[in-house]
Amino acid sequence: MLSGAFATIGRYWKPLIGVALTLFGAATLVMVVALVVAASAVAGRWDELTSGSSSSPDAELAPLAVAFGVLMAVGMIVYMLASAMMQAAVPVVLQEAVLGRPIRFGEVWKRAWARVWSIIGTVFLTGLIMLVPMAPLLAAFAGLMVYAVSLGDEDGALPLALIGSLVGLLIAPVAMWLWVRFCLAPTVVVFENQRPLAALRRSAQLVRGTWWRVFGITLLGFGLAAMIGFMIQMPFQMIGMLPGLFDPADMGSEPSDGALIATFGGLMVLSFISQMISQLITMVLPPLVTGLLYVDLRMRTENLGPVLAGAAEATLPEQYGPPPATPA
């Protein structure tokens, strides 16, 4: 599965990387603009708000906080849309890859956009599955933080942390089991033109009896993608740690708070760029592995191999000529 995923990336890197770069480049640009606008607004009044001279600093800071929250929310929506679009684009490329046919950027974009809303619905439903154990775990974390900050003065904080941790750990295996059963749903949406609920049922049908195999291969794909993404981001993080790189000479020995915000903005921009580059792999490899799992399961259980072979022969490019004749 992994070798097939990397082979697909090597052969179809132009549409895959092109779509990923377009999507996450736009999403990163929106996030950077949101950060720059919010940081500029805060930096212009930071000294005033932190000096204590204002009679109501909270009232003055509230509009800035609202503007920052709105801009970040817009950036998150754009990023989620880009992720959904990418989860639709990868199976589109894989459809042609299993038949050995080339595909261009425009065709990938057109076909992926046609299925993106069904992908969003499918990802939303599968995300709710993982949200169930996350809610008590987040409550447990909040309770633990309250207990630590209050130095044990809050009587209900520690029981909340313990109960939330216990409930989350008990529900997590069930949520993981369901997530693996439904992990093929985005691929089903594209390959079979299914709607979200039908795609979830179809995924559960294909995974039945092979849960551990699907779990192991999917986990390996996500783990490998995360490791590659970390290795890509590491050089950028090391660049940001170089002494003097983001220390302008005119800051002086006692820089203002606004100058510090502007300085660390450079580090944030560098972080966004490194994240975008790593996403070119982390958002392509796992869907490819999942898509190949889908094809493999259908070949094992539904005899898809001859169908694919016939489709490939029927759509061979003219320059390749007819398939070789079978010897008598």
Side-chain angles (χ1 to χ4, degrees), residues 1 12 84 105 125 165-166 186 217 269 274 293 314:
M1 295 294 171
Y12 294 88
F105 175 90
L125 292 176
S165 300
L166 181 61
I217 295 175
V269 170
S274 65
L293 264 173

Side-chain angles (χ1 to χ4, degrees), residues 132-256:
V132 173
M134 287 299 296
L137 290 176
L138 290 175
F141 179 76
L144 186 62
M145 290 296 100
V146 171
Y147 181 81
V149 172
S150 64
L151 300 178
D153 292 339
E154 293 291 337
D155 296 334
L158 188 57
L160 176 63
L162 294 176
I163 294 174
S165 300
L166 181 61
V167 173
L169 292 176
L170 288 176
I171 299 177
V174 178
M176 180 60 68
W177 179 75
L178 290 173
W179 183 84
V180 172
R181 281 177 61 86
F182 298 142
C183 69
L184 302 181
T187 305
V188 172
V189 168
V190 176
F191 270 72
E192 302 182 17
N193 293 323
Q194 297 281 8
R195 295 186 179 274
L197 290 177
L200 294 177
R201 290 193 296 267
R202 176 66 167 151
S203 176
Q205 175 189 357
L206 291 171
V207 174
R208 186 181 298 119
T210 60
W211 189 94
W212 283 107
R213 180 171 178 266
V214 173
F215 170 74
I217 295 175
T218 304
L219 182 64
L220 183 61
F222 275 97
L224 185 60
M227 182 182 67
I228 295 175
F230 176 76
M231 294 175 62
I232 292 174
Q233 289 190 21
M234 186 182 299
F236 290 89
Q237 301 299 328
M238 294 178 64
I239 291 174
M241 296 172 61
L242 292 176
L245 184 61
F246 292 100
D247 296 330
D250 57 352
M251 286 181 60
S253 58
E254 295 182 0
S256 64

